[in-house]
Amino acid sequence: MNTTPDETTLALWLDDELTGADLAAVDAWAAGRPDQLEAREENRRYKAALRAAVPASVEPPSPEFFNARIARMIETSADAAPAAARERTVEVPVWLSPRSWFMPAAAAAGMLLAFWIGSNTGDPRTPAMQAGAQPDVYVPESGVNAEWLAAEDKSGVIVLTGVSAIPDTTDFSQTVYLPMPREIDRTAGQGRDSGIR
Amino acid sequence: MNNERPDPSKTTPDNTDAGGDDDSKDDFRLVALAQQGDMRAYDALVTRHRGRIFAMIRNMTHNEADAWDISQDVFVKAWQALPKFQAKARFSTWLYRIAHNAVYDWSRKRRIESVGELNDEIFERDRIDPAATTTPSASEAPDAALGHGELRIKIEKALAKLSPDHREVVILKDVQGLAYKEIAEVMECTLGTVMSRLFYARQKLQTLLKDEYDAR
């Protein structure tokens, strides 16, 4: 090559991106130009040093959990499957087609069945409750009495007597999880529920 | 970087025909399966590319915990956009482009959130213990730590002083080994812009590193 390569070609040559005839042409042009050859060597040394110090690939911490969390995020998202998979056309039998006679007929039969079941099912309460008898209430601690108070609307209240007072020193924060507002926001907005921080 | 595991399956355009190697073929095969809803194939793709995506994002954000989250978002977004992926570009290049956008969104959101709040950037980076980690990670091999530790810290400090565009072009070209054309696709700019940015970024980076050497 007798003519000087343009800037783009020269930049590609300096970064070892040229191949074939283009590479041969610029190599021939640079053969008599030690400054260009030195510039390419300097570029190679610089990149080698950079890549030795800063790896191109670093496994993320907890790689198995990394993958599992991605899978969970995908499953819980609206796009549980790529659109291509969602839009796949599946051969549906004619008798299952929503536009066929089968669906309206099945819906009507279902309604009739539900009506029959509803009209032939008795009171779900136990016989004792229907008769107004008090239910048996079991307490896990001796010395504690339980009294059932039935209300008119067939609901009831259980009153416990003999339960020892709860000490003031009890730390409820150890027994109940109270999410902080920030945690709620992060979970809802970002999906960042990781415990790795 | 304590958990360095170079991925032998990855190649760079510097020594391979971009898009024509066996790894790219494997990617396309796995992508085709994943596009049909095969989660195992997609999991394999995540495993193949998570190291490079995580490294790129961590070098951009300088925050391992955020990089962990952003990398996962990248793969979720990639899954959602998978039907649009065509085999015109390498799958890795396409992932880098999603990562580029994710990092851009992260930095923009971070700027907005930092208004009126304590800005942790007021603390000098030099005062932060470089050995401190925010997430559990395996230890680097002792010989590698001795060989690369100091230089890596200096390079990371120098990279942090570059503008985001300059930092990204250096990371993509000189660390990740992408071709100019691929970087133009990732950063959505012209080839000339990539070359210009890289030229000035390298100059500044070498100046910054020279200053640090002279200071010792």
Side-chain angles (χ1 to χ4, degrees), chain B residues 19 24 28 31 35 84-91:
Chain B
S24 289
F28 289 143
V31 165
Q35 284 177 327
K84 299 174 188 171
F85 174 74
Q86 296 174 330
K88 294 176 182 174
R90 289 200 296 178
F91 180 68

Side-chain angles (χ1 to χ4, degrees), chain B residues 62 126 156-163 167 204 208 212:
Chain B
H62 293 282
D126 296 357
E156 285 184 346
K157 283 179 182 176
L159 282 171
K161 290 176 181 174
L162 298 179
S163 70
R167 190 187 317 145
K204 185 167 184 182
L208 289 168
E212 294 203 11

Side-chain angles (χ1 to χ4, degrees), chain B residues 99-116:
Chain B
H100 162 84
N101 290 332
V103 170
Y104 179 82
D105 288 344
W106 171 84
S107 58
R108 188 180 58 178
K109 187 179 176 185
R110 195 160 178 254
R111 278 199 300 272
I112 293 170
E113 287 178 344
S114 67
V115 174

Side-chain angles (χ1 to χ4, degrees), chain A residues 66-67 70, chain B residues 41-51 75 91:
Chain A
F66 181 90
N67 282 32
I70 290 170
Chain B
Y42 192 67
D43 188 67
L45 281 169
V46 172
T47 301
R48 287 165 67 89
H49 293 279
R50 68 188 177 201
F75 284 108
F91 180 68

Side-chain angles (χ1 to χ4, degrees), chain A residues 12 15 17 46 50-53 55-56 58-59 61 63 66-67 69 73-74 79 82-85 190 192 196-197, chain B residues 1 14 34-35 43 47 50-51 54-55 68-69 72 79 83 109 134-136 148 152 173-176 179-180 202:
Chain A
L12 293 172
D15 269 305
E17 284 197 27
Y46 151 77
L50 200 63
R51 287 175 189 175
V58 179
E59 278 287 79
F66 181 90
N67 282 32
R69 188 163 175 254
M73 289 164 76
I74 288 172
D79 298 310
Q190 299 296 319
R192 290 178 173 179
I196 63 161
R197 288 174 183 277
Chain B
M1 254 165 274
D14 286 357
Q35 284 177 327
D43 188 67
T47 301
R50 68 188 177 201
F54 177 74
W68 205 79
D69 285 340
Q72 291 175 335
W79 167 265
K109 187 179 176 185
T134 53
T135 54
H148 303 308
R152 182 175 64 219
K173 180 64 187 167
D174 297 337
V175 177
Q176 299 290 343
Y180 280 109
R202 280 173 173 171

Side-chain angles (χ1 to χ4, degrees), chain A:
Chain A
M1 177 185 268
N2 295 323
T3 56
T4 304
D6 59 66
E7 286 187 3
T8 301
T9 305
L10 187 57
L12 293 172
W13 179 78
L14 284 168
D15 269 305
D16 294 309
E17 284 197 27
L18 286 183
T19 56
D22 293 335
L23 174 62
V26 182
D27 275 344
W29 169 83
R33 293 172 174 78
D35 58 326
Q36 295 296 335
L37 294 171
E38 175 55 27
R40 186 171 65 170
E41 285 305 312
E42 176 62 28
N43 200 24
R44 287 173 178 172
R45 283 195 294 270
Y46 151 77
K47 283 196 287 188
L50 200 63
R51 287 175 189 175
V54 184
S57 181
V58 179
E59 278 287 79
S62 310
E64 291 80 15
F65 182 47
F66 181 90
N67 282 32
R69 188 163 175 254
I70 290 170
R72 196 178 69 216
M73 289 164 76
I74 288 172
E75 286 170 6
T76 54
S77 72
D79 298 310
R86 290 197 306 270
E87 292 168 3
R88 274 183 301 178
T89 55
V90 179
E91 288 294 327
V92 179
V94 175
W95 60 275
L96 274 178
S97 171
R99 284 174 290 187
S100 72
W101 58 271
F102 181 80
M103 294 302 284
M111 288 176 65
L112 281 172
L113 182 64
F115 177 77
W116 182 83
I117 291 172
S119 61
N120 288 277
T121 303
D123 193 329
R125 291 174 297 156
T126 63
M129 291 175 73
Q130 290 179 53
Q134 291 193 352
D136 292 325
V137 180
Y138 298 93
V139 292
E141 191 174 349
S142 61
V144 175
N145 295 317
E147 184 182 2
W148 167 266
L149 301 175
E152 289 183 2
D153 61 355
K154 298 173 184 174
S155 63
V157 176
I158 299 173
V159 178
L160 297 175
T161 55
V163 178
S164 56
I166 299 172
D168 293 339
T169 55
T170 300
D171 185 4
F172 287 102
S173 67
Q174 298 297 315
T175 58
V176 179
Y177 172 65
L178 299 173
M180 301 301 289
R182 180 175 174 81
E183 290 177 288
I184 294 171
D185 290 341
R186 285 167 57 81
T187 304
Q190 299 296 319
R192 290 178 173 179
D193 57 345
S194 70
I196 63 161
R197 288 174 183 277

Side-chain angles (χ1 to χ4, degrees), chain B residues 28-185:
Chain B
F28 289 143
R29 182 180 57 80
L30 291 169
V31 165
L33 291 170
Q35 284 177 327
Q36 299 300 314
D38 187 337
M39 270 303 293
R40 285 192 302 177
Y42 192 67
D43 188 67
L45 281 169
V46 172
T47 301
R48 287 165 67 89
H49 293 279
R50 68 188 177 201
R52 283 183 170 263
I53 294 298
F54 177 74
M56 178 261 192
I57 294 174
R58 196 185 63 166
N59 282 328
M60 285 299 297
T61 61
H62 293 282
N63 184 311
E64 197 165 65
D66 281 344
W68 205 79
D69 285 340
I70 296 168
S71 301
Q72 291 175 335
D73 287 342
V74 167
F75 284 108
V76 172
K77 287 175 181 170
W79 167 265
Q80 292 165 345
L82 207 54
K84 299 174 188 171
F85 174 74
Q86 296 174 330
K88 294 176 182 174
R90 289 200 296 178
F91 180 68
S92 59
T93 307
W94 187 69
L95 276 181
Y96 280 124
R97 184 167 176 175
I98 296 174
H100 162 84
N101 290 332
V103 170
Y104 179 82
D105 288 344
W106 171 84
S107 58
R108 188 180 58 178
K109 187 179 176 185
R110 195 160 178 254
R111 278 199 300 272
I112 293 170
E113 287 178 344
S114 67
V115 174
E117 295 181 1
L118 178 64
N119 182 359
D120 57 4
E121 288 184 348
I122 63 175
F123 297 111
E124 290 181 18
R125 201 169 275 280
D126 296 357
R127 295 174 58 189
I128 299 173
D129 179 8
T133 56
T134 53
T135 54
S137 47
S139 298
E140 187 179 28
D143 54 341
L146 285 171
H148 303 308
E150 285 187 30
L151 179 60
R152 182 175 64 219
I153 291 167
K154 281 188 289 189
I155 290 174
E156 285 184 346
K157 283 179 182 176
L159 282 171
K161 290 176 181 174
L162 298 179
S163 70
D165 283 340
H166 283 181
R167 190 187 317 145
E168 185 171 13
V169 78
V170 167
I171 289 167
L172 290 176
K173 180 64 187 167
D174 297 337
V175 177
Q176 299 290 343
L178 270 66
Y180 280 109
K181 188 180 174 186
E182 290 178 308
I183 297 171
E185 288 175 18

